[in-house]
Amino acid sequence: MAKKSAISGEYIIQVEDNGSVVVFRIFDNVKASLREVAEAKGFEYDKEWTTRQFGKKLCKEYGDGTSATVGDYVIRVKEDGGIETYRTYDNVKGALREIAEKVGFVYDTEWTTRQFGSKLVDALQ
């Protein structure tokens, strides 16, 4: 459960009840994220595939046909057949720095990940 959260562009920052911080990126450009996944795995694809074709093929190859987790990326076929992708970040502090720089938030390099995440969420709200 999240104690607090904020959205900034494609990013979602959650501060959990225990104080830990999680960062997700929900991609607006789904096809580009599918290319990233395919290239990271060496999966050959046709540049002419639609996003739906591409996503379904990756889900079939690396998951159960309706979803797949490939490294930090999650690909899901929605009920309407559309594709959504998001990424979780192992390097949460790096993701927080990336978001802070995009929004012009000045941070202290001495902050812990928990402090940084909490202060950034407060600033974004």
Side-chain angles (χ1 to χ4, degrees):
M1 186 80 182
K3 180 171 25 175
K4 60 183 176 178
S5 63
I7 297 174
S8 177
E10 294 180 314
Y11 298 91
I12 300 171
I13 307 165
Q14 285 184 183
V15 178
E16 305 294 344
D17 287 337
N18 66 2
S20 65
V21 179
V22 181
V23 176
F24 301 95
R25 180 178 178 195
I26 299 175
F27 292 92
D28 289 336
N29 187 338
V30 175
K31 199 167 195 179
S33 68
L34 296 173
R35 281 189 210 107
E36 286 179 30
V37 170
E39 289 166 8
K41 293 298 281 183
F43 180 84
E44 291 189 28
Y45 61 92
D46 184 335
K47 293 182 189 327
E48 300 301 315
W49 284 346
T50 65
T51 302
R52 289 178 183 221
Q53 289 172 311
F54 200 175
K56 286 178 185 176
K57 288 180 187 293
L58 286 169
C59 284
K60 187 175 180 182
E61 181 71 21
Y62 299 108
D64 62 8
T66 58
S67 67
T69 301
V70 183
D72 294 342
Y73 295 85
V74 175
I75 306 163
R76 191 174 78 80
V77 180
K78 300 187 299 187
E79 285 185 26
D80 67 1
I83 305 296
E84 68 180 359
T85 57
Y86 66 90
R87 178 181 177 197
T88 57
Y89 286 84
D90 286 336
N91 181 353
V92 174
K93 201 168 200 178
L96 294 172
R97 283 192 292 266
E98 186 178 318
I99 297 163
E101 289 167 11
K102 285 184 179 188
V103 299
F105 178 75
V106 178
Y107 59 91
D108 184 332
T109 57
E110 299 299 314
W111 287 343
T112 65
T113 302
R114 290 176 182 226
Q115 289 171 314
F116 193 177
S118 182
K119 291 175 186 290
L120 184 54
V121 165
D122 290 344
L124 292 170
Q125 292 178 335

